[in-house]
Amino acid sequence: MTTEALIPVFAALGDETRWSILAALGDGDASASALAGRLPVSRQAIAKHLAVLQEVGLVESVRVGREVRFRIVGARLSATARRLDAVGAEWDRRLAAIKEIAEGL
């Protein structure tokens, strides 16, 4: 996943309500109405937040009878986590190199 592809994902995750929605969906698929019952946000606001999460590929909608439920797209979250791990490893490498230089002085 490129850095450019991560920017909208991080923007979406930067909102506390969207983070709470993802956490709630971690317990299982849910409709916007069910999420609104669990979170201190209106159903309309939940729907807007779900649209943002869906746009960046973090959730997808699934029709179950007459209800539309949302679920997390694990592959997208895993790809984001792998990219963050790579960034963290690069920083660890850089800091170790700086430490080695500083200790050699």
Side-chain angles (χ1 to χ4, degrees):
M1 180 177 288
T2 67
T3 301
E4 293 79 25
L6 285 174
I7 293 169
V9 173
F10 291 137
L13 292 174
D15 183 273
E16 185 177 342
T17 300
R18 288 192 284 270
W19 189 261
S20 297
I21 290 169
L22 279 179
L25 289 174
D27 295 336
D29 300 358
S31 67
S33 296
L35 290 166
R38 295 172 63 182
L39 301 170
V41 183
S42 71
R43 189 211 169 285
Q44 293 81 7
I46 293 285
K48 289 179 182 182
H49 286 294
L50 284 166
V52 171
L53 292 169
Q54 192 167 15
E55 185 177 312
V56 298
L58 293 173
V59 301
E60 62 186 4
S61 61
V62 179
R63 184 165 288 283
V64 179
R66 297 175 70 178
E67 186 177 55
V68 176
R69 294 185 186 170
F70 292 85
R71 65 178 169 209
I72 293 176
V73 178
R76 182 72 166 178
L77 283 174
S78 294
T80 302
R82 282 191 303 276
R83 184 67 178 116
L84 282 174
D85 284 343
V87 169
E90 180 60 24
W91 273 105
D92 287 345
R93 186 192 64 74
R94 289 178 182 178
L95 291 172
I98 291 169
K99 179 182 177 186
E100 187 176 317
I101 292 168
E103 289 175 348
L105 295 178

